[in-house]
Each structure stands twice: as structure tokens, then as C-alpha cells.
Amino acid sequence: MEKLLCPSLLNLSDDYLKDEIIRLDQSGVDILHIDVMDGEYVPNFGMSFQEIKTVRANTSLPLDLHMMMKNPGRYIRRYAECGINIMYIHPDSEPIPTETLAEIRELGIHPGIVINPGISLESVAELFPLVDYVLVMTVNPGFAGRDYLPWVEPKIERLVEIRKKYQFHIVIDGGVTWEIMERLWNKGIEGFVLGKQILFGQEEDYKTIIKKVRKHSNFSC
Ligand code: DX5
Ligand code: ZN
């Protein structure tokens, strides 16, 4: 198993968006993680359609869209036009999530769900056969730089067990540090959203850090 490394673009400065995307593109990451918000489901805003188009124009890497908004189904066609490859919805934000997930797949995009810290696996169990990705929030959604919530970990362990019956990838989003990544990797998690703790605002460049992350995974195999 290879690690799935997904830098969160919420950590980028808009001033150098194009240059930063090119740097990330060449750093060896797998998927660019784009957070979008409506100021209602969470009290914040993320990338605009225009910025996402700039991202798409400067990389051929897959783009995942983390939709922190009410009724995300209203927007999936517009985001599809921006060249998104994976769409994550919060099932608690949509009255009929199964329909939205099916529409995402019909558009040729990988559907995914997001499980907030306070949402149980039981409450979303019916959705597991319908998705290619499950994003587990280890912070409450809406802001970059929050601290990892360790009490979510038993749920992550149960999800690894459940996944044996399905096909989906598991990705962890929020406050991931080197230590947490290593621990969860050893528990069978392959996907990590990378934020300030590992990738952004560090002295070393993206490429050097990503090489180190990959090396770590060889160690524990
Ligand atoms: C939080 C977002 C995350 C966040 C990750 O609501 O979903 O993607 O930006 O970055 P860190 O781990 O630095 O908070
Ligand atoms: Zn996110």
C-alpha cells in the first residue's frame, strides 16, 4: 500500500496561488485537497470557483473537493465544470445524500462522504457501498490549524475493519502531525490531508518533505 498524500490548499496564500500549485504539482503528492464552504454549514469561506479553475489550469493531479456546505447537491455540476475528480459531501448536510452521491458518479466523478467527529459510523453505514472515498474529520470542520481530536481514533479503527467488505479509500482530515500519521498508517490508514503540521510553513520545501513522508512509509512496511 502506498500513502495517499493530499495537501490542503486552505493553507496557501492566494497571492502566489499559481506558483504554489506548480510547486505542489512537482513535489510528489497524490491529490490536491480543496476546501469549499458556504458560511452557513460552517462559519467560514474557502476557495472560489475562479481559484479552483486556476488550480486546475496549473496541475494535472487529481483534485478532491471537500464540500462544507448545506445542500451541496445544488453545486455539483458547477464544480464538475471546474475539473474536480473526487467530491466529498457531509451526509448530514443533505436531505437525500444517496441521490447526490449517485449524481456525482453519473458525472464521472468519484463520490465520497465526510464523517464529522460527532457523527457515528452507524448513521452513515448505508452509504459505504456507494462511495470510493471516506474522509474522516479529526477536527471539527471549517478552519485550518485546529488540534487533532484523539477520541476519534476508536472510530477510525472500526472503519478500517468495515472497509474490508468494501472498496473505499480512507483519508484523515485535520491536525495530522508526523506522529499521528505514523500511528494511523500502522493501523491501516493510507490517506492523509496534509496541513500546517507537516507540509506548510516549514523550512524545507514541499519536495523534500514529501520524500521524507514516503521514506517513513517504507520503514513501517
Ligand atoms: C478543516 C479542513 C482541513 C484543513 C486541514 O476544516 O477540512 O482540510 O485545512 O489542514 P490542517 O490539518 O492544518 O488543519
Ligand atoms: Zn478538508
Side-chain angles (χ1 to χ4, degrees), residues 3 47 51 57 60 109 116 124 129-131 147 162 171 174 221:
K3 274 186 179 147
M47 266 196 175
E51 285 165 330
S60 54
I109 294 168
N116 276 343
V124 295
L130 307 178
V131 298
D147 287 338
I162 292 172
V171 181
C221 272

Side-chain angles (χ1 to χ4, degrees), residues 26-220:
Q26 294 167 356
S27 69
V29 298
D30 301 294
I31 298 169
L32 300 184
H33 179 83
I34 299 178
D35 293 291
V36 287
M37 313 177 211
D38 63 354
E40 202 183 340
Y41 181 71
V42 291
N44 201 0
F45 294 95
M47 266 196 175
S48 65
F49 288 106
Q50 199 49 49
E51 285 165 330
I52 296 171
K53 284 181 184 163
T54 302
V55 174
R56 180 73 293 166
N58 288 287
T59 182
S60 54
L61 283 172
L63 305 180
D64 85 54
L65 189 74
H66 177 186
M67 305 177 82
M68 287 171 268
M69 52 181 63
K70 286 199 170 162
N71 309 118
R74 289 179 291 176
Y75 302 110
I76 56 178
R77 274 167 207 282
R78 274 194 76 188
Y79 283 116
E81 286 164 13
C82 298
I84 294 293
N85 307 92
I86 301 160
M87 279 187 193
Y88 288 110
I89 63 162
H90 284 257
D92 47 297
S93 69
E94 190 68 285
I96 311 180
T98 50
E99 215 161 67
T100 307
L101 292 169
E103 281 172 33
I104 293 172
R105 199 178 285 287
E106 274 163 29
L107 288 167
I109 294 168
H110 295 286
I113 51 166
V114 195
I115 305 178
N116 276 343
I119 296 284
S120 71
L121 297 181
E122 290 70 25
S123 69
V124 295
E126 277 73 16
L127 306 178
F128 290 139
L130 307 178
V131 298
D132 295 340
Y133 290 82
V134 174
L135 188 69
V136 182
M137 293 308 296
T138 42
V139 297
N140 283 314
F143 295 90
R146 285 181 160 170
D147 287 338
Y148 180 85
L149 299 170
W151 49 265
V152 178
E153 241 170 90
K155 186 165 75 177
I156 296 173
E157 289 171 23
R158 281 189 290 127
L159 186 60
V160 172
E161 282 305 307
I162 292 172
R163 195 226 341 232
K164 289 179 183 159
K165 288 191 277 176
Y166 301 100
Q167 304 287 335
F168 57 77
H169 298 281
I170 304 175
V171 181
I172 305 298
D173 188 8
V176 175
T177 62
W178 283 92
E179 191 201 351
I180 292 162
M181 182 168 52
E182 197 65 5
R183 191 170 66 238
L184 295 182
W185 167 254
N186 287 323
K187 288 181 180 181
I189 297 292
E190 80 270 40
F192 299 94
V193 172
L194 301 179
K196 286 202 173 68
Q197 305 270 10
I198 293 179
L199 194 62
F200 296 96
Q202 308 292 321
E203 277 175 24
E204 288 170 315
D205 63 21
Y206 298 148
K207 210 175 193 163
T208 310
I209 296 174
I210 295 302
K211 253 190 210 156
K212 278 191 192 169
V213 175
R214 302 269 182 219
K215 224 176 175 180
H216 261 250
S217 55
N218 292 338
F219 259 99
S220 37

Side-chain angles (χ1 to χ4, degrees), residues 9 12-24 47-48 50-55 58:
L9 305 189
L12 290 180
S13 139
D14 296 352
D15 301 349
Y16 308 103
L17 185 57
K18 184 177 167 184
D19 295 348
E20 286 280 64
I21 296 304
I22 293 169
R23 268 194 282 275
L24 284 171
M47 266 196 175
S48 65
Q50 199 49 49
E51 285 165 330
I52 296 171
K53 284 181 184 163
T54 302
V55 174
N58 288 287

